[in-house]
Amino acid sequence: MPYQLLQENILKNVKMSPSDLEFICKYFKPISVNKGEFLLQQGNICKFEGFVVKGCFRIFNIDTEGKENTLYFAVKDWWLMDIDSFMNQTSSELNIQALEESQILIIDRTNKETLYKESSIVEKLFRIMSQKAVAAWQRRLIRNHGLKAKERYSYFVNTYPEIALKLTDRQISGYLGITHEFLSKIKRKN
Amino acid sequence: MPYQLLQENILKNVKMSPSDLEFICKYFKPISVNKGEFLLQQGNICKFEGFVVKGCFRIFNIDTEGKENTLYFAVKDWWLMDIDSFMNQTSSELNIQALEESQILIIDRTNKETLYKESSIVEKLFRIMSQKAVAAWQRRLIRNHGLKAKERYSYFVNTYPEIALKLTDRQISGYLGITHEFLSKIKRKN
DNA sequence: ATGGTTTGTTGAACTTGTTCAACCCTATTA
DNA sequence: TAATAGGGTTGAACAAGTTCAACAAACCAT
């Protein structure tokens, strides 16, 4: 059952009753995504917030020179969205693409607003999730500044070995902020 | 009045009644900080969340090689804390130092928890603030990957000219993730 | 099976950024 | 006034990472 995973994920952040859990989950709808399919492309507005049940996604930006910059990968038990575009319904700078056959639970903005209004525990849940996310992004920035490419690579494959296995080297290099050629050279010298 | 600035800041995020505003503000206490003084040093636990009324702070990490990596600067109207350490009362990896004579409003963790419990609008306020912060950190990461040091420097001084004026080049270079010597060379060639 | 596309690898030349040392300037303090 | 500490600058040698081009291997789609 896809909702079981979502419920467990929620409980990691906030303790709540089974009825609250079910109430929240009802607003999420399961959808299947084909390999290569885009859930969002930059320039459009992000109309959903998603929770990954199965598969793998890549969230990335393409800059003016055509370089693909990966913000993060989302696998089972990860959340997925352009938080800025979703909140403010502004044009997104991100692309969200399935790297394999995937399944997610999504909620649209209207339903999300309803959820916030109906239950204050939902505010708390997403407040805590967002605060944890801020901490994680701060740590990522410090690592990016403090570590060399080779160390960032080691950190990534050690911290997320199951994700690394699903990815090509080109995808990993886009996450590390280096060229795929240089990643290849890093791997050789060790 | 320091509380006026805090109230305006809150209203930028969530609309609320004057009585709610006052209720929240009561939990914040003004403190003065001397130039050079540390509000937090890595290894300790962050016991406060702060809102800057006057002055300037530098939030940075010192890595194993002694290199200072600046996460951000906080001036008037900015928030200030180690969100991870404050939430979970874990050892902090950050230092928070006043760069000049400053004034802030602080709330400790117990009072923050009380606030959350007393009023659900507080959950909403910090939920929205945190979500905006996530968006900002994501954009920062993309800029750090996509832009060269010179472009990051231009972006910083153009986006935060009033902050840049308060800082030495060494402090700016720590924020950009480059050495101060290289920043000096960047500035010359233009 | 075949042709086309994408991926990983490697080398050489190049650009970006670092390190270290020296120097100057300014502000502070004894 | 002298001493000192910190900030900015510069140059030379070096390290890290990019670019471009070439090629081999794997992975499709038909």
Side-chain angles (χ1 to χ4, degrees):
Chain A
M1 226 31 206
Y3 288 100
Q4 166 120 25
L5 193 67
L6 176 56
Q7 293 194 0
E8 286 166 7
N9 182 279
I10 290 172
L11 287 174
K12 280 181 209 165
N13 292 293
V14 175
K15 284 177 189 165
M16 62 175 74
S17 67
S19 64
D20 276 340
L21 266 182
E22 268 192 57
F23 174 77
I24 294 172
C25 287
K26 268 188 201 137
Y27 284 84
F28 286 82
K29 289 170 192 163
I31 66 165
S32 290
V33 191
N34 294 322
K35 178 173 179 173
E37 190 180 329
F38 282 83
L39 287 178
L40 173 67
Q41 281 188 287
Q42 58 190 99
N44 298 327
I45 292 171
C46 182
K47 301 195 181 307
F48 69 96
E49 174 162 354
F51 174 77
V52 182
V53 174
K54 181 171 150 297
C56 183
F57 293 86
R58 179 168 149 254
I59 293 84
F60 65 103
N61 168 264
I62 304 179
D63 67 21
T64 47
E65 275 106 37
K67 193 177 148 199
E68 295 187 357
N69 211 294
T70 297
L71 215 45
Y72 65 103
F73 301 103
V75 294
K76 191 174 81 167
D77 207 33
W78 285 61
W79 293 81
L80 185 105
M81 67 197 294
D82 179 340
I83 195 168
D84 191 17
S85 173
F86 182 73
M87 276 183 80
N88 309 312
Q89 297 289 287
T90 53
S91 172
S92 175
E93 291 174 20
L94 301 180
N95 307 278
I96 301 184
Q97 184 184 27
L99 299 180
E100 52 185 65
E101 204 68 21
S102 302
Q103 201 185 342
I104 64 176
L105 295 168
I106 59 169
I107 183 171
D108 65 28
R109 194 162 175 280
T110 313
N111 277 312
K112 187 87 187 286
E113 289 300 325
T114 306
L115 257 186
Y116 283 137
K117 273 173 196 135
E118 301 260 335
S119 163
S120 79
I121 204 164
V122 177
E123 286 286 2
K124 180 174 182 180
L125 170 63
F126 287 96
R127 189 261 297 170
I128 288 176
M129 281 175 45
S130 301
Q131 289 179 334
K132 286 185 183 176
V134 170
W137 286 107
Q138 290 183 347
R139 285 192 294 265
R140 170 102 177 265
L141 193 94
I142 288 177
R143 280 197 305 278
N144 275 321
H145 274 184
L147 303 183
K148 304 274 179 199
K150 188 175 189 169
E151 300 167 314
R152 297 205 299 278
Y153 174 68
S154 301
Y155 181 89
F156 179 70
V157 295
N158 291 330
T159 309
Y160 308 106
E162 71 297 340
I163 300 183
L165 282 175
K166 291 170 178 271
L167 305 172
T168 65
D169 280 0
R170 287 171 127 93
Q171 289 161 348
I172 294 177
S173 69
Y175 174 88
L176 298 175
I178 58 176
T179 60
H180 65 275
E181 294 97 328
F182 189 55
L183 176 54
S184 174
K185 286 161 190 169
I186 283 172
K187 291 173 70 180
R188 176 176 41 153
K189 293 179 195 168
N190 195 22
Chain B
M1 229 25 206
Y3 289 100
Q4 167 120 24
L5 193 65
L6 177 56
Q7 294 195 359
E8 287 165 7
N9 182 278
I10 290 172
L11 286 174
K12 282 181 208 165
N13 292 292
V14 175
K15 284 178 188 164
M16 63 175 75
S17 68
S19 64
D20 277 339
L21 266 181
E22 268 192 58
F23 173 77
I24 294 173
C25 288
K26 267 188 202 139
Y27 283 84
F28 285 83
K29 289 170 191 164
I31 67 165
S32 290
V33 191
N34 293 324
K35 179 174 180 172
E37 190 179 330
F38 282 83
L39 288 178
L40 174 65
Q41 281 188 287
Q42 57 191 99
N44 297 328
I45 292 171
C46 182
K47 300 196 182 306
F48 69 95
E49 173 162 354
F51 174 78
V52 181
V53 173
K54 182 171 150 294
C56 184
F57 293 85
R58 179 168 149 255
I59 293 85
F60 64 105
N61 167 265
I62 304 178
D63 68 20
T64 48
E65 275 106 40
K67 193 178 150 200
E68 295 187 359
N69 210 295
T70 297
L71 214 45
Y72 64 103
F73 302 103
V75 293
K76 190 175 80 165
D77 207 33
W78 286 60
W79 292 82
L80 186 104
M81 68 197 295
D82 179 340
I83 196 168
D84 190 17
S85 173
F86 182 71
M87 276 183 81
N88 309 312
Q89 297 290 287
T90 52
S91 171
S92 176
E93 292 174 19
L94 301 179
N95 307 278
I96 301 183
Q97 185 184 27
L99 298 180
E100 52 185 64
E101 203 69 19
S102 302
Q103 201 185 341
I104 63 176
L105 295 168
I106 58 168
I107 183 170
D108 64 27
R109 194 162 174 280
T110 313
N111 277 313
K112 187 88 187 287
E113 290 299 326
T114 306
L115 257 186
Y116 284 137
K117 274 173 196 136
E118 300 259 337
S119 162
S120 79
I121 203 162
V122 177
E123 286 286 1
K124 180 175 182 178
L125 170 63
F126 287 96
R127 188 261 297 172
I128 289 176
M129 281 175 45
S130 301
Q131 289 179 333
K132 286 184 182 177
V134 170
W137 286 108
Q138 290 183 346
R139 285 191 294 265
R140 171 104 177 265
L141 193 94
I142 288 177
R143 281 197 305 277
N144 275 321
H145 274 183
L147 303 183
K148 306 270 179 204
K150 188 174 191 172
E151 299 167 315
R152 298 204 298 278
Y153 175 68
S154 301
Y155 181 89
F156 179 70
V157 297
N158 290 331
T159 309
Y160 309 107
E162 73 295 341
I163 300 183
L165 282 174
K166 292 171 177 269
L167 304 173
T168 65
D169 280 0
R170 288 172 126 90
Q171 289 160 349
I172 294 176
S173 69
Y175 174 88
L176 299 176
I178 58 176
T179 60
H180 64 275
E181 294 98 329
F182 190 56
L183 176 55
S184 175
K185 286 161 191 170
I186 282 172
K187 291 172 70 179
R188 177 178 36 155
K189 293 179 196 167
N190 195 22

